Amino acid sequence: MLLSHVVALDQAEEYGDCLTCALSHYDAWESTKRGEPLLTPLTPATKRMIAAHEYEDWPRGRIVFEQTKKCFVVYADRQIFMHIALIDACFNLPEGTDWRTDAHYSRSLSFPGAFR
């Protein structure tokens, strides 16, 4: 399952040469835990999962738009690379999207099959 928070480019925040979502993973997770649904899809099962875990327990990533190169870059935990088609479909990413691992997005615990 993929939990997501989508921001249109015209609503994104500038971060250096990039456009990105201003919301942190922690804030999205905690707000959703408190009943402000910033992550989707929210099902009874995902609500229970969010309530029982911390955001850093799960593989995660961030998509930014590099304005100078005019391309999207996905920074993600290595486990997410097994699901490129799912990410592409969810975010409607164009051909030429750059995929990069980043230690910042690594999950802290090992949950076999956690991202299916």
Side-chain angles (χ1 to χ4, degrees), residues 13-92:
E13 172 181 270
E14 285 197 29
Y15 185 79
D17 291 336
C18 296
L19 295 174
T20 187
C21 175
L23 188 65
S24 72
H25 287 92
Y26 174 82
D27 289 336
W29 193 268
E30 291 301 313
S31 293
T32 302
K33 229 183 217 190
R34 291 189 307 268
E36 183 183 348
L38 296 177
L39 298 173
T40 59
L42 279 182
T43 65
T46 58
K47 287 180 185 178
R48 286 191 302 274
M49 188 260 318
I50 290 169
H53 297 280
E54 298 303 321
Y55 83 99
E56 67 265 354
D57 293 343
W58 301 94
R60 59 195 178 279
R62 179 173 292 270
I63 301 170
V64 302
F65 182 74
E66 286 192 2
Q67 297 181 89
T68 54
K69 295 180 182 177
K70 302 213 181 311
C71 72
F72 287 94
V73 180
V74 178
Y75 293 97
D77 178 277
R78 200 172 290 280
Q79 186 177 0
I80 289 176
F81 289 104
M82 297 178 345
H83 305 281
I84 289 175
L86 178 63
I87 306 295
D88 278 342
C90 178
F91 293 98
N92 207 15

Side-chain angles (χ1 to χ4, degrees), residues 97-112:
T97 295
D98 191 3
W99 291 78
R100 302 177 190 169
T101 58
D102 190 309
H104 180 78
Y105 299 114
S106 295
R107 69 187 190 284
S108 62
L109 300 177
S110 178
F111 287 101

